[in-house]
Amino acid sequence: MSNVSSSSSSFTNASFLRRVLLADGAVSVAAGALMAFGGSPLHGLLNLPGAMLVPAGLSLFVYAAFVLWLAKRPVMPRGGVWAAVVINAVWAVDCLAIAFGSWFAPNLLGQAFLVVQVVTVIAFAELQVIGLRKARSMAGA
């Protein structure tokens, strides 16, 4: 059975990609909760402003809803998955800019917190790209 629907821009039954999107959504909810509800305590621990952490955490809930919605669709739109890849890449660049740029002055723990996010979202982006390629190659089989 094919993992790609009759449209080349959508996928059906791409279980690897679905699992990656579900994991991305779960991690985003956890990180979002930590940042949104722990912004003030994290400020003192990481030397990152709560006024930045709270909205960033809330934005992760929106992103999580999006990728979980994608994962649960009977037909996953290719463009939606690519949007998740791009959002993950932008998040990584933003975290690097915050960790090592001149706008904020996170302490070493704050920089580590941000670098862990970079590694995590780049890993999810790469797995999503692999899932897209895997689904495409299975469609051609």
Side-chain angles (χ1 to χ4, degrees):
M1 181 155 98
S2 173
N3 283 338
V4 179
S5 72
S6 59
S7 167
S8 64
S9 64
S10 302
F11 300 101
T12 60
N13 195 23
S15 62
F16 174 81
L17 185 53
R18 285 185 197 285
R19 288 191 304 270
V20 169
L21 291 168
L22 289 171
D24 192 0
V27 169
S28 295
V29 166
L34 176 66
M35 292 166 63
F37 303 118
S40 293
L42 285 176
H43 166 69
L45 188 63
L46 307 174
N47 201 34
L48 289 168
M52 177 194 67
L53 291 169
V54 172
L58 293 173
S59 75
L60 285 174
F61 292 137
V62 175
Y63 174 75
F66 171 65
V67 293
L68 293 171
W69 173 82
L70 278 175
K72 294 297 184 178
R73 303 286 305 153
V75 176
M76 289 184 289
R78 178 186 300 275
V81 179
W82 277 112
V85 171
V86 169
I87 292 167
N88 276 327
V90 168
W91 191 272
V93 169
D94 287 348
C95 285
L96 285 172
I98 292 166
F100 303 109
S102 59
W103 301 292
F104 301 98
N107 58 25
L108 187 59
L109 190 56
Q111 288 177 327
F113 176 75
L114 292 162
V115 168
V116 165
Q117 289 187 55
V118 170
V119 170
T120 302
V121 299
I122 291 299
F124 277 126
E126 180 64 23
L127 290 170
Q128 289 159 354
V129 169
I130 290 168
L132 285 164
R133 288 181 183 152
K134 184 176 177 180
R136 176 179 274 172
S137 69
M138 292 181 83

